[in-house]
Amino acid sequence: MPFEQIKKRNGSVVPFDKQRIADAILRASLSVDGEIDVEQTLALADTVTENLAAIFDDRMPDVETIQDLVERELMRQSFFQTARSYILYREAHKHQREVSQSVQAAKLEKSALKVAQKDGSTENFNAEKLRKTITRFTDGLNVDIDDITEAVKTNLYDGITVEELFDAIVMVARSFIERDTDYTKLAARLLLHKLHQHVLGESDADKIPAAYRKMFVKNMKRAVKENRLQKEVLDFDLETLAEYMDLERDLLFDFMGLQVLYDRYFLRAAGSEDIILETPQAFWMRVAIGMSLNEGRDKNEWAKKFYDVMSTHRYVPSTPTLFHSGTTYPQLSSCYLNTVQDDLNDIFKTFSDNAQLSKYSGGIGTDWTNIRATGALIKTTNVSSQGVIPFLKISNDVTVAINRSGKRRGATCAYLETWHLDIEEFLELRKNTGDERRRTHDMDTANWIPDLFMKRVHEGGMWTLFSPDEVPDLHHIYGKKFEEAYEQYERMADEGKVEVFKRIPATDLWRKMLTMLFETGHPWITFKDPSNVRSPQDHVGVVHNSNLCTEITLNNSSDETAVCNLGSVNLGLHIKGEVLDHDKIKETVTLAMRMLDNVVDLNFYPTKETKNSNMKHRPVGLGIMGFQDALYRFDIDFASEAAVEFADISMELVSYYAISASSDLAAERGAYESFKGSKWDRGIFPVDTLDLLEEERGQEIDVSRVGRLNWAPIKEKVKKQGMRNSNTMAIAPTATISNIVGCYPCIEPIFKNLYVKANMSGDFTVINPYLVEDLKALDLWNDEMIKKLKFYDGSVQQISEIPVNLRDKYKEVFEIPVEWLIRTAAYRGKWIDQSQSLNIFLRGTSGKMLNDAYTLAWKMGLKTTYYLRSLAASQVEKSTINTSEFGDTHNRDFSPSSPTETMSTTAIIKTTSDNAAATAMVTTATNVATAVTSDIPTSGIMSDALLVASNQEALKVCSILDPDCEACQ
């Protein structure tokens, strides 16, 4: 069960207890002469819990939703008398609550409502005292103190504690975030005050700074004593570092960022989740100290520099680094890439290795292409192989069994090359129908596609599937060599020299790939040849697969499990006036590269193969986030040539200084072991490799090679000094670290201008602050505008009073033609030595659009793509606005299939990853299926049934719609 707690009506959180569901059903049954027996009530409770898990995944359910699901299940199983009793019971209790609230309101008017103090005494509620408490936190903020005060009063009850009263203020502040972005700052200040009380035991503003610094030193020593931190931490001058912390930087956080840190990132005392040892600046400093453990005599100065670049939110390491920096098991890396050999011992060794990698918070990409296909002969036992699928089922179950660092679900992606004979069954692993023993619902999958397959698709040619034991070299060669060998094996098959093979039209397989991608969100589309031809490490091995999030393209083998060490530059904070701040980018990137290189030496390696690989090649993946923030600040529309140009310019800057910094580190610390013979050594930089790919393909790649910086000095530096790192850049999803520092994830366009984001820390209202500021400047931000934004699900395209230039600027991701996302990625990607986690966003159900998008991605030389995110043509009902005010755009025949589809005052709009909202989309399947099947001839890309499944499955995605994925960052 993914959740352990539920939210009560008053906002408090209590442990989830399935027995209470069974008890409630039994009571209702007994009131109608026992229509349901005890065993049936337990079974019903199990079913309700399963339904709840499907809807909420990692989010926290609420009492009302649980009760709605109980009603539905009773009706579905025809227990009508019990259902009637249960409904009447709910209504009676609702009436009791309303009476109780009236009594509380009367007491409130008479100032007779009591507030329990910390010492056990009680005081009469004092509205003016409440107002003064709120006022303490509103300096410089545009918030309505009177409205907050009145809203808090509606949440009071007789005997409420002062702690609960303060929590009520926080809850109201966060529910008002839709009004103005200043409310998220208010909520953050309130939460910070609560944190100070919890960790420092202090609430007096004048005393907090001294307590803050004293507690940092005390808790660092305590963590070492409890074996939570390494003893080498005490070699730092903790008192000096405590004084160096800038406590004002706590105010840089918005509410969601601070809540995420509070819930999941701050160091806890040994054996306790309740005793928090860190405050925000103490957290940044602990990470900085952990990153400086190998800096020798200058470690205190480097800790200060690392602290500054992180605490100002300019650069943030990946989640594993934040979790584990300085700890006794410093597993700081994000993802691992391994390959399985066609040997039973190695297969089960991989299961064991993956369990260890997951245990320490790593995401995993595993290449399974070497495993012989179904029907191939196993000579030692003289029986036919069952193929790769049964082993993937075991891999899926290993993934489920491991909870990464106790804080994140296990996460694995299986890769298979497109010529493997089991590819058709591989495509169906995530389907909701079929033999469950051949399904992997908890594991991601990805196609590893050679260029030759794409050529055959567009030529209308045939494609031959083989078992790798009969074509052992195909998986380890690429480009022209692959094409020559593949065609030779096809001739051998025709001559009867290959025993196990199958020949099908390439377009049929491509159609099935796209169908499964739309239906289940898997397997992802990744390209073998660009990943290898453009790899700096082509002299020492082959890139057999990417990682869990498709941004890492590193060699692996039976002796080497590739490791990716990640962090991201917050691009939106590197703007000076109306231009990018080159000096600031240089400083940030240089410090980031040093921190990432330190990870290689400081890291705890769960297996010998990971250490062997990382120490030999020292790859790192510096990425970016806040790309959309930067576009907003430059007044650039995402769907424009200006955005493509900005992607090109900004990534060239990051690339320039990342490569320069790695070469300077090589001069200081030595080049990486396998540098000799690499593309770096041969003077071939990432932008140069597009020509190599073009030559291998024999097809033009329509991406300009022009740069704006003088690369000659950097090439000369690398020739002279070498490189410290085999790979330097990769753009990973940054869902969580972007939440922490309050920017938009990685290279993603904005998902919605107004919505509710849900993760393990709760539900958070998200409103586009740039839009709010632009509308304020035009005097257009008011209650009426908020209502319209809610009505149009955050979109501004149909709000006529908003100027056209702003409607273009604030297009949401599904309003941006997908080719703009691909083009910006291609122009950015020419500077990157690894890859990008590029999601494909597709509005509607056109098979032709789907085909065109992925074909364009391949033609423009992209190495990988990530999730397909599709949006069906339906909307979610609103309950907090009068839809008749603005016209009726909804399907009025739609009746919500779950209570979570109706909006509460804080839940403005559910994202489409919600299974409940996805279920709503099923109602439109019949209406749109025809549009899908008409786009591609013959059998079409999808059927009605596939579309239904698509709306339920394909929308479960990573960095925005499923913010708990956090696979990489």
Side-chain angles (χ1 to χ4, degrees), residues 133-258:
T133 298
I134 297 168
T135 304
R136 285 174 52 195
F137 301 95
T138 59
D139 186 38
L141 300 181
N142 179 34
V143 297
D144 191 320
I145 297 173
D146 290 332
D147 277 5
I148 297 171
T149 303
E150 290 304 311
V152 170
K153 286 163 67 174
T154 65
N155 287 279
L156 303 182
Y157 65 92
D158 199 18
I160 190 171
T161 67
V162 288
E163 292 87 354
E164 291 171 332
L165 180 55
F166 194 83
D167 287 343
I169 302 174
V170 177
M171 294 291 288
V172 168
R174 65 184 286 182
S175 72
F176 281 8
I177 288 173
E178 64 185 67
R179 296 185 176 190
D180 195 293
T181 52
D182 275 2
Y183 284 97
T184 189
K185 298 176 184 177
L186 172 61
R189 293 180 186 182
L190 293 163
L191 182 60
L192 188 64
H193 176 78
K194 182 178 177 180
L195 179 64
H196 288 160
Q197 289 183 313
H198 189 164
V199 179
L200 310 179
E202 184 60 70
S203 57
D204 188 325
D206 294 333
K207 296 178 180 179
I208 283 176
Y212 205 118
R213 302 180 199 283
K214 181 180 179 180
M215 190 58 68
F216 167 73
V217 176
K218 178 182 177 182
N219 283 349
M220 290 291 281
K221 291 179 178 178
R222 173 179 177 173
V224 171
K225 184 178 180 180
E226 294 180 352
N227 203 36
R228 297 285 287 117
L229 294 178
Q230 299 173 56
K231 63 180 183 301
E232 288 79 9
V233 165
L234 300 181
D235 295 336
F236 286 77
D237 187 342
L238 297 179
E239 285 78 10
T240 297
L241 295 178
E243 287 299 319
Y244 188 80
M245 294 188 302
D246 186 346
L247 308 190
E248 289 297 311
R249 291 176 186 169
D250 279 358
L251 300 179
L252 296 177
F253 292 101
D254 63 20
F255 176 72
M256 179 163 56
L258 191 59

Side-chain angles (χ1 to χ4, degrees), residues 419-432:
W419 51 260
H420 196 289
L421 191 62
D422 289 338
I423 189 67
E424 291 177 286
E425 280 201 271
F426 180 80
L427 299 179
E428 297 182 344
L429 283 171
R430 292 294 297 259
K431 287 185 69 172
N432 283 330

Side-chain angles (χ1 to χ4, degrees), residues 202-330:
E202 184 60 70
S203 57
D204 188 325
D206 294 333
K207 296 178 180 179
I208 283 176
Y212 205 118
R213 302 180 199 283
K214 181 180 179 180
M215 190 58 68
F216 167 73
V217 176
K218 178 182 177 182
N219 283 349
M220 290 291 281
K221 291 179 178 178
R222 173 179 177 173
V224 171
K225 184 178 180 180
E226 294 180 352
N227 203 36
R228 297 285 287 117
L229 294 178
Q230 299 173 56
K231 63 180 183 301
E232 288 79 9
V233 165
L234 300 181
D235 295 336
F236 286 77
D237 187 342
L238 297 179
E239 285 78 10
T240 297
L241 295 178
E243 287 299 319
Y244 188 80
M245 294 188 302
D246 186 346
L247 308 190
E248 289 297 311
R249 291 176 186 169
D250 279 358
L251 300 179
L252 296 177
F253 292 101
D254 63 20
F255 176 72
M256 179 163 56
L258 191 59
Q259 184 72 60
V260 169
L261 283 183
Y262 186 98
D263 287 345
R264 301 158 62 192
Y265 282 76
F266 290 154
L267 197 67
R268 259 69 172 175
S272 173
E273 283 296 308
D274 296 328
I275 302 175
I276 299 174
L277 301 181
E278 292 182 328
T279 46
Q281 300 312 306
F283 162 76
W284 291 128
M285 187 60 81
R286 186 260 300 168
V287 175
I289 288 171
M291 291 288 92
S292 308
L293 286 167
N294 65 335
E295 291 288 0
R297 289 179 298 178
D298 296 328
K299 59 180 175 287
N300 286 296
E301 293 308 308
W302 282 112
K304 291 178 182 178
K305 293 177 181 179
F306 295 161
Y307 163 80
D308 278 336
V309 78
M310 290 187 293
S311 63
T312 54
H313 299 183
R314 288 160 52 193
Y315 167 76
V316 185
S318 64
T319 285
T321 302
L322 299 178
F323 277 166
H324 301 138
S325 183
T327 64
T328 48
Y329 285 96

Side-chain angles (χ1 to χ4, degrees), residues 505-644:
T507 51
D508 286 359
L509 184 57
W510 178 241
R511 181 180 292 111
K512 185 169 184 178
M513 285 180 176
L514 297 183
T515 299
M516 290 298 100
L517 186 63
F518 191 94
E519 178 184 340
T520 71
H522 293 86
W524 304 324
I525 303 295
T526 60
F527 302 110
K528 173 184 180 178
D529 289 273
S531 298
N532 276 283
V533 173
R534 299 192 62 206
S535 170
Q537 291 294 94
D538 57 344
H539 65 307
V540 291
V542 175
V543 181
H544 290 116
N545 57 299
S546 187
N547 67 317
L548 181 63
C549 301
T550 77
E551 82 279 8
I552 301 302
T553 50
L554 299 175
N555 305 342
N556 56 24
S557 66
S558 58
D559 300 321
E560 295 183 8
T561 294
V563 183
C564 51
N565 314 299
L566 301 173
S568 297
V569 174
N570 189 351
L571 200 58
L573 295 183
H574 292 80
I575 294 170
K576 186 177 183 180
E578 297 183 1
V579 296
L580 284 169
D581 190 334
H582 287 220
D583 292 336
K584 201 172 193 178
I585 289 176
K586 178 181 179 180
E587 180 186 36
T588 298
V589 169
T590 301
L591 286 169
M593 287 298 294
R594 190 178 191 94
M595 292 175 72
L596 287 168
D597 186 61
N598 286 355
V599 167
V600 177
D601 296 313
L602 297 170
N603 199 44
F604 167 77
Y605 294 98
T607 68
K608 65 180 181 180
E609 291 82 6
T610 55
K611 185 171 185 178
N612 183 32
S613 176
N614 227 24
M615 300 308 292
K616 185 181 294 184
H617 311 301
R618 307 185 68 86
V620 300
L622 181 65
I624 61 171
M625 57 185 176
F627 180 75
Q628 177 72 89
D629 297 78
L631 291 183
Y632 282 148
R633 290 174 180 173
F634 283 126
D635 265 338
I636 296 175
D637 303 346
F638 205 113
S640 68
E641 288 295 341
V644 175

Side-chain angles (χ1 to χ4, degrees), residues 484 486-497 503:
E484 292 169 2
Y486 184 86
E487 290 169 353
Q488 175 61 27
Y489 283 125
E490 286 188 308
R491 288 191 290 271
M492 291 172 62
D494 292 338
E495 295 166 2
K497 296 177 181 178
R503 190 158 289 157

